[in-house]
Amino acid sequence: MADEMKKKFDSDSAASLVKELRRTFTSGKTKSYEWRISQLKNILKMVDENEKQIVEALRKDLSKPELEAFVSEISMTKASCKLAVKELRHWMKPEKVKTSMTTFPSSAEIVSEPLGVVLIISAWNYPILSSFSPVLSLDPVIGAIAAGNAVVLKPSEISPATSSLLAKCLEEYVDNSAIRVVEGAVAETSALLEQKWDKIFYTGNGRVGRIVMAAAAKHLTPVILELGGKSPAVVDSNINLKVAARRIISGKWGCNNGQACIAPDYIITTKAYAPKLIDALKCELEKFFGKDPLESKDLSRIVNSNHFARVRKLLDDDKVSDKIVHGGQRDETSLKFAPTILLDVPNDSLIMNEEIFGPLLPIITVDKVEDSFDVINSRTKPLAAYLFTNEKELKEEFVRTVSAGGMVINDTVLHLSNPALPFGGVGESGFGSYHGRFSFDAFSHKKAVLYRRFVGDAAARYPPYTPKKLRL
Ligand code: NAD
């Protein structure tokens, strides 16, 4: 069925798909606790029973190392699903709130109501979990189901093995009258975007984010945009350098070889400290990936030749080609690209003006570490920002003055794995958030309900508005 849809999915097919799912939603089926919990358990079972196939699909799409596939996709998706199963009753419960004198006597509550039929468009880098993995696709789906919606998932065509595995598995494990996968690229996504949805959740780049938002505006459809940007890491000098270097490497090259939305995009440190930092990065890189990283089994490859050419162009720019202090090796046939560090790249170079989304790490230097906050704030707001320091005041100033979707002090990317934290961007890095309870809320309408009785009816609120009533 997935193959069939891929070949001939057009506006008419999209319209009839939405109609079918809307019929299911209107029947009330997806709203019950029992339906939601059974679908969530089926997704858990699906991931459990298909672990090997998921690892293999991720290997085909990205040569993702097995351990990375387990940690960043399979175990995170399972954790997300288990949390939803455990907390669903609590999340669905109306929240009692205070009332005011104006409504006395009354009671009030906030009721979480499913939105209807929602569309989730995901990116290729974490195709499972959510927007940056094949598994990445499943995280918002889990939220949409937990909130009681019917849902269409459009995985990325750039990770085809994962996309087709997801389509096949979801067709087999979940209720197809309410949960569907549409495979395809721009034509299929455009056909889907013409339809009226009750929410669109998009993960990917800002250019397409704008297309999604414009399409949604026609139907007044709310959107969540999970975009990217240049996420900085500021490195102070009074730190445990070895640990910091390992954590930077893990967040950069240990996450899809830099093809992750929250991978550190560039580093800011002082002129004096840069040489020490570079030495530490080189030393730990060699320990992790060996003397010839192109041969390493622990580094993902670049996803395809277009992205390979894009990364190469960033490095071959005349303004930066003499700034490489480590790496630079690549092999176009295998799409392997070595971890590469550059020092003091100019502000107007391509690499400092585009999201790198690959294995290149420029370091820019400042006189005082505090100056780095102005550098960050002079650019568009990033999805993540990192700081390595032991100075309490510096940590506080960073949190207070730097605007970013999320931040981690003394590590990288790990905020993503805490479901108690909302995950999402701000400004150019997107808006709206998800993960854990935030995913449930992202796909719910918060309905305000006020309960009154017939007793205590105050005459003062009704006309005629006599002077006596005005004085009350
Ligand atoms: P992509 O190329 O897979 O595109 C994303 C989705 O948009 C796909 O499903 C694709 O089919 C669709 N699409 C592409 N062109 C389209 C068009 N013209 N009209 C309609 N739909 C279209 O992924 P990408 O954009 O290369 O992903 C990388 C970007 O995503 C980076 O900027 C990264 O930072 C960001 N990202 C963000 C997150 C997050 O959670 N915030 C996660 C992963 C990736």
Side-chain angles (χ1 to χ4, degrees), residues 121-126 130-133 136 154-159 184-187 189-190 193 202-208 211-212 225-229 260-262 307 355 357 383 416 423-425 429 434:
I121 305 172
S122 32
W124 51 269
N125 58 336
Y126 282 73
S130 66
S131 41
F132 83 122
S133 89
L136 199 66
K154 212 301 289 174
S156 176
E157 68 280 16
I158 294 184
S159 44
V186 178
T189 318
S190 306
L193 285 173
Y202 167 80
T203 303
N205 65 72
R207 182 186 61 78
V208 178
I211 296 175
V212 170
L225 298 182
E226 295 288 343
L227 310 177
C261 54
I262 49 170
H307 279 275
E355 180 180 356
F357 218 65
L383 186 58
L416 171 102
F423 183 78
S429 54
Y434 71 128

